[in-house]
């Protein structure tokens, strides 16, 4: 198992980079089963400590024997609380692949802390800054693993990335489409988190199976425009709720996950979702989300995100 020191990796995670990054998407059918119990308020509460690393980069010469000499303003602040450690656990799990471990020192007890890779949505993060595309993949993974009920529910995460690998057994046993998650958690601290969810076909039909313990794609009747987890509610991911209506995602790929989703129900009801595959599925990696918008009604430029994770639960 490969071990990495946390300092340089943490610093690179939270700083956008303009370096060329090799395509990370694959052409196979993709998904991965994970557990989730990350609370949305913990994501919000820990943003300050996490993002301060952008202004307080920890130099490589401060590393010793794969341990991080923790700075109380930067990584030390994030790792000084159980909530911050939990958040870092999810960040590393989403970003790095299985077999990679990050090692740090607890700033209070000085005991070693280990963070294990799992999903691998930004595998080059270990040696490079996390670019915008990587930020949005890791963000989508974090958002998909939020659970307002603080319970562990196995979910199948699917999308156009080689870190999300499917099996026939998984597709069979996780058939209920909850919805899709996208946005960007790693924004400047002066700007709000962009966390967006749209409602999937099974969730729109009711509370079946594991959906009973998953609320983050459901609209909040007491807070219009938000989900029950506080995310921006983009409406239904597809056009499956009668009467025909606008939907949040440009397409449903042949592999069964949504792609190119907007922060609102921007795509018209006669848009043919099933006739296209995902733009990123061939691994060309040529999207710049800031420049990709959908001309929509009174709003000239609705933002469209390509790093989208669709979640499924068990019956």
């Amino acid at each position: 198992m490969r071990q990495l020191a946390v300092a340089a990796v943490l610093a690179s995670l939270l700083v956008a980079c303009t370096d060329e990054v090799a395509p990370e998407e694959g052409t196979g059918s993709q998904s991965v089963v994970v557990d989730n119990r990350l609370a949305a308020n913990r994501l919000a509460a820990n943003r300050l400590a996490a993002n301060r690393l952008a202004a307080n980069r920890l130099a490589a010469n401060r590393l010793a024997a794969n341990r991080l000499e923790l700075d109380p303003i930067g990584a030390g602040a994030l790792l000084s609380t159980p909530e911050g450690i939990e958040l870092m656990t999810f960040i590393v799990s989403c970003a790095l692949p299985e077999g990679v471990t990050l090692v740090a020192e607890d700033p209070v007890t000085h005991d070693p802390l280990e963070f294990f890779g799992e999903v691998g949505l930004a595998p080059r993060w270990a040696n490079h800054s996390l670019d915008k595309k990587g930020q949005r993949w890791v963000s989508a993974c974090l958002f998909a693993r939020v659970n307002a009920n603080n319970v562990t529910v196995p979910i199948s995460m699917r999308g156009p990335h080689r870190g999300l690998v499917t099996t026939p057994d998984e597709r069979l046993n996780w058939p209920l489409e909850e919805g899709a998650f996208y946005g960007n958690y790693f924004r400047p601290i002066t700007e709000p988190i962009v966390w967006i969810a749209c409602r999937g076909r099974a969730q729109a039909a009711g509370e079946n199976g594991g959906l009973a313990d998953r609320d983050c794609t459901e609209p909040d009747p007491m807070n219009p425009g938000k989900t029950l987890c506080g995310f921006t509610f983009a409406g239904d991911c597809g056009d499956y709720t009668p009467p025909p209506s606008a939907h949040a995602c440009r397409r449903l790929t042949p592999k069964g996950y949504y792609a190119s989703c907007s922060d609102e129900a921007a795509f018209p009801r006669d848009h043919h979702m099933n006739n296209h595959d995902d733009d990123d599925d061939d691994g060309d990696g040529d999207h710049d989300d800031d420049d990709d918008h959908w001309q929509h009604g009174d709003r000239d430029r609705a933002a469209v995100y390509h790093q989208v994770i669709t979640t499924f639960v068990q019956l």
Side-chain angles (χ1 to χ4, degrees):
M1 180 178 292
R2 187 157 58 100
Q3 291 189 336
L4 300 173
V6 173
V9 179
L10 281 180
S12 66
L13 170 66
L14 302 170
V15 183
C17 176
T18 58
D19 293 342
E20 289 292 326
V21 177
E24 295 174 352
E25 290 78 9
T27 57
S29 182
Q30 298 102 344
S31 66
V32 64
V33 176
V34 297
D35 288 336
N36 69 93
R37 56 181 303 169
L38 183 61
N41 61 350
R42 290 183 181 177
L43 277 177
N46 284 283
R47 271 185 92 222
L48 184 59
N51 279 269
R52 277 184 175 170
L53 283 169
N56 296 277
R57 297 184 185 184
L58 303 177
N61 59 11
R62 297 190 62 191
L63 298 176
N66 280 340
R67 293 294 187 272
L68 173 61
E69 297 177 10
L70 290 172
D71 161 3
I73 296 177
L78 184 63
L79 302 183
S80 63
T81 66
E83 293 80 7
I85 292 173
E86 181 185 42
L87 173 59
M88 184 56 60
T89 298
F90 277 98
I91 289 174
V92 174
S93 170
C94 287
L96 298 185
E98 187 176 4
V100 176
T101 302
L102 301 190
V103 181
E105 182 179 282
D106 188 305
V108 178
T109 67
H110 303 293
D111 293 330
L113 295 172
E114 292 186 322
F115 302 96
F116 301 97
E118 180 183 10
V119 184
L121 294 175
R124 294 191 66 194
W125 173 59
N127 301 304
H128 298 78
S129 296
L130 193 70
D131 67 350
K132 186 187 304 178
K133 187 176 180 181
Q135 290 176 17
R136 290 177 175 180
W137 271 123
V138 175
S139 298
C141 178
L142 289 174
F143 303 156
R145 298 175 79 171
V146 169
N147 193 312
N149 299 314
N150 197 31
V151 296
T152 299
V153 179
I155 58 173
S156 173
M157 300 195 303
R158 306 176 191 178
H161 195 292
R162 65 169 57 104
L164 305 171
V165 180
T166 192
T167 64
D169 181 70
E170 181 179 337
R171 294 193 299 271
L172 178 65
N173 289 294
W174 276 265
L176 298 179
E177 179 190 297
E178 178 192 18
F181 298 87
Y182 43 102
N184 196 346
Y185 175 70
F186 303 102
R187 288 165 57 82
I189 194 60
T190 56
E191 300 178 13
I193 301 172
V194 176
W195 40 17
I196 309 164
C198 62
R199 183 170 58 178
R201 182 182 297 272
Q203 184 66 80
E207 292 279 82
N208 297 317
L211 294 173
D213 291 319
R214 292 279 295 172
D215 296 329
C216 291
T217 67
E218 295 183 64
D220 185 350
M222 304 301 293
N223 193 3
K226 300 292 184 181
T227 75
L228 290 172
C229 291
F231 297 169
T232 295
F233 180 58
D236 287 340
C237 302
D239 184 9
Y240 35 71
T241 305
S245 60
H247 44 87
C249 299
R250 179 177 290 152
R251 61 193 55 142
L252 177 67
T253 73
K255 300 183 181 80
Y257 46 75
Y258 292 99
S260 300
C261 298
S262 175
D263 54 356
E264 63 177 66
F267 298 100
R269 64 185 184 184
D270 59 352
H271 191 76
H272 300 294
M273 292 193 66
N274 294 304
N275 293 338
H276 303 280
D277 205 343
D278 178 47
D279 290 342
D280 272 355
D281 198 45
D282 60 0
D284 58 15
D286 62 356
H287 291 298
D288 183 345
D289 290 294
D290 280 348
D291 295 328
D292 191 4
H293 299 79
W294 177 261
Q295 303 301 312
H296 172 54
D298 294 334
R299 180 180 175 187
D300 291 334
R301 293 169 64 81
V304 177
Y305 294 81
H306 303 287
Q307 291 74 38
V308 177
I309 288 180
T310 306
T311 55
F312 292 76
V313 300
Q314 294 177 304
L315 287 169

